Amino acid sequence: MLVPFNRIELAGPELDYIREALGETVAGNGRFTQLCQQLLEQSYAGSRVLLTTSCTSALEMAGLLAGLGPGDEVIMPSFTFTSTANAVVLRGGVPVFVDIRPDTQNIDETRIEAAITPRTRAICVVHYAGVGCEMTAIGEIARRHGLTLIEDAAQAIGSTYRGRPLGTFGELSALSFHETKNVISGEGGALIINDPELMDRAEILWEKGTDRVRFRRGLVTKYTWVDVGSSFLPSDITAAFLYSQLQSMEAIIADRLGIWERYHAGLEPLEARGLITRPTVPDGCTTNGHIYYVLLDDANARDRWAAQLAEAGIDAFMHYVPLHSSPAGRRFGRTHGDLAVTDATAGRLLRLPVFPGMTAEQADLVIHAMHAIARGPSVRQLEGSR
Ligand SMILES: *Cc1c(COP(=O)(O)O)cnc(C)c1O
């Protein structure tokens, strides 16, 4: 591929930090874990941050901390990754899928209230492509109905909504450092705990249900089993890698945004001709450039554009199969209202390559290929002429 979809790049001293960690400790909650958590707590002022093995495990911790139990309902979008729903299903709860907005592909805040029942315990929003959901309206709904607000902020590190970082609106928020995300550690994540009442318990669940964190702070003389829990903390090798990435976070995001903005300007003429729709970043939101996507007319058109980009040596991919139409989603969840926008978006959306170290020339190759596809005959016509 001339332009792959994603590539990993070292931000700087990842390998030096791993070597340092090997001389100290490589189990969880070592020096680099502390350093990462401190850096993140500077970005999320007033919050407690715990590194986890993945965003998936951070969401599972959120499910435990929110006290979800059998039959409890959590309202969420269907246009998301399986982990958003699994965290609920693992507690015996029921994901209730509502439709998304056609501009941001985020949960449609006007659909939430009607989906609330006496069994509803929480709302879990997903900031698709690193662009914020309507957090003011959603926060008000959560407060009015006494629901826990959880943010699946897997894609949203560094993005803001009305001047505040995404990840600081819910009682609990989850970040991902999976290799496909902006800031990476292979597999990795973090739980942001914004509700002070949940902070002590979070540390216990994190350390296999023990008070080992308090022991390490010298607050108790021995540690013991005090609550449920699991091994949610990553190795310090992972944290050492992540620390280097977090130190370069601003540069990583600026790089991606440069590509995002180049696409956005370069593809404007195609939108003006009605051939594509570019992503929307609403007033009051900033994006971290995590994903650049376009919407085509329908699934046939999307597949044709993807195939023609592939012929030009460019990887471009669809995204989620909506959870409500997946086998597990049908078994464990239910929908509220029609999910017409979700179904349409799933068929129409095409993600273009964005990765660290991607050059302006590579972005221009993609833009030129898109313009050529807009001008030229379709793949089918090309195949017919061979
Ligand atoms: C990537 C992603 C996840 C899962 O993150 P992991 O760190 O791989 O567990 C969950 N939710 C969303 C919206 C994601 O994009």
Side-chain angles (χ1 to χ4, degrees), residues 152-192:
D152 180 341
Q155 303 176 12
I157 196 167
S159 297
T160 64
Y161 174 84
R162 302 200 176 163
R164 246 173 79 186
L166 295 178
T168 62
F169 292 88
E171 278 89 346
L172 299 158
S173 303
L175 298 174
S176 176
F177 305 120
H178 185 263
E179 74 164 357
T180 53
K181 301 302 201 290
N182 282 25
V183 171
I184 66 169
S185 62
E187 301 282 351
L191 181 69
I192 304 171

Side-chain angles (χ1 to χ4, degrees), residues 19 43 50 62 70 99 104 143 156 192 215 240 242 258-259 275 287 318 330 339 350 359 371 378:
R19 220 167 280 120
S43 307
L50 296 173
D99 211 0
T104 56
R143 262 189 304 282
I192 304 171
F215 170 71
L242 180 64
I259 300 296
L275 294 170
T287 178
M318 59 178 284
R330 283 203 297 265
L339 275 71
L350 185 65
T359 61
H371 281 265
S378 73

Side-chain angles (χ1 to χ4, degrees), residues 5 35 53 68 81 102 147 151 214 235 284 325 327 333 344 349 353 359-360 376:
F5 186 72
L35 287 170
T53 52
L68 297 182
F81 193 60
L147 306 176
E151 294 176 73
R214 265 181 272 166
S235 146
S325 50
L349 187 141
T359 61

Side-chain angles (χ1 to χ4, degrees), residues 79-102:
F79 192 67
T80 182
F81 193 60
T82 59
S83 302
T84 321
N86 265 324
V88 174
V89 173
L90 281 167
R91 306 259 60 77
V94 181
V96 176
F97 302 116
V98 300
D99 211 0
I100 53 174
R101 295 166 55 107

